Amino acid sequence: MNSMSIINPVYRRDNMAPFFILDDVFTGEELDAITKYCIDAGTYKAQVMQSRGAIVTDDKLRIADIMMHKVNQDNRWIFDRVVGAFETANRDAYNFELDGFNVFQYSEYNDKGAHYEYHMDVSFASVNDRFTIGRKLSLSIMLNEQAEFTGGEFQMIIDSQTIEKPITVPHKRGRFVFFPAFIVHRVAPVHTGTRRSLVFWALGPKFR
């Protein structure tokens, strides 16, 4: 660890960004193939984890259909492409110590009012370690066009000023949105149509 100064701290201008965007990692045809692969695999109703570790259905917090996909021979090409994007984002914006990942979540918000309220992707409670321990850098991939749904904005709260006016990340099909797993974020209620996305979490040791 570097020596710290109590009297003369260094105020840096290179603080981490709340989010980092990459576009055009997948082609339109590849996004079509990913979407078909996920739809064909099916979904189940999403749940949430309570502070004591219980997994429950809570429509006030989350209405969505999801499926967790572990790496296999059919989807390995997706993981391989995303690994490179993670490396780019981490190098250019965060410099976190990361180990990798072996699962992604497909999500559909296809009901009027489907949403996921404000939350973090990492838990600081030991009871939740089985599910969220080690998550450091999150990635949300926007799978479909904005014209296919209304509402469903991807929003973040990063300070007191954004509580009332959260940051809304502009939607674009195929957009990769990276952000630290401790950033508070949500998917706002969908009004019409279906919003589709993939989510990855890169794991790593404790921040230091």
Side-chain angles (χ1 to χ4, degrees):
M1 173 182 281
N2 294 330
S3 297
M4 292 187 294
S5 173
I6 296 173
I7 299 174
N8 296 309
V10 176
Y11 294 97
R12 303 182 184 277
R13 294 183 178 272
D14 59 347
N15 290 336
M16 71 177 71
F19 62 91
F20 181 86
I21 287 176
L22 286 177
D23 290 328
D24 304 321
V25 177
F26 291 116
T27 66
E29 291 76 12
E30 289 170 334
L31 292 169
D32 290 341
I34 293 169
T35 302
K36 183 179 186 304
Y37 171 81
C38 292
I39 291 174
D40 290 347
T43 58
Y44 56 88
K45 185 174 176 60
Q47 296 179 298
V48 296
M49 181 175 292
Q50 296 179 325
S51 60
R52 295 185 178 182
I55 300 175
V56 300
T57 299
D58 188 338
D59 287 353
K60 291 183 179 179
L61 296 179
R62 189 181 194 185
I63 301 176
D65 296 304
I66 66 170
M67 178 61 77
M68 304 299 291
H69 293 269
K70 293 185 177 180
V71 62
N72 59 48
Q73 63 180 3
D74 295 323
N75 63 27
R76 181 60 185 258
W77 67 276
I78 302 172
F79 283 86
D80 288 343
R81 191 76 59 82
V82 172
V83 164
F86 260 108
E87 291 173 344
T88 297
N90 193 42
R91 180 193 66 229
D92 292 351
Y94 300 106
N95 198 29
F96 292 166
E97 186 176 356
L98 301 176
D99 296 327
F101 52 89
N102 67 350
V103 65
F104 70 79
Q105 175 184 279
Y106 169 70
S107 299
E108 289 183 355
Y109 298 86
N110 54 17
D111 291 322
K112 185 176 181 180
H115 69 288
Y116 194 174
E117 265 304 335
Y118 285 113
H119 64 284
M120 295 185 294
D121 288 343
V122 65
S123 171
F124 298 102
S126 60
V127 70
N128 293 343
D129 280 355
R130 175 185 171 193
F131 300 94
T132 61
I133 189 171
R135 290 181 180 177
K136 296 181 75 171
L137 189 58
S138 298
L139 165 62
S140 180
I141 303 176
M142 300 169 174
L143 279 183
N144 58 334
E145 299 283 0
Q146 178 66 78
E148 298 177 33
F149 62 94
T150 60
E153 295 88 356
F154 187 74
Q155 298 180 315
M156 298 180 179
I157 293 176
I158 63 169
D159 55 27
S160 60
Q161 295 181 357
T162 54
I163 293 176
E164 295 296 329
K165 294 183 178 180
I167 295 172
T168 297
V169 180
H171 188 93
K172 179 182 178 181
R173 189 186 188 209
R175 171 158 288 171
F176 281 42
V177 185
F178 295 89
F179 55 98
F182 52 76
I183 291 287
V184 176
H185 60 285
R186 75 164 182 170
V187 175
V190 169
H191 304 310
T192 60
T194 299
R195 181 189 192 276
R196 306 180 193 274
S197 63
L198 299 186
V199 180
F200 292 76
W201 305 277
L203 311 180
K206 291 181 180 180
F207 286 104
R208 58 183 181 179

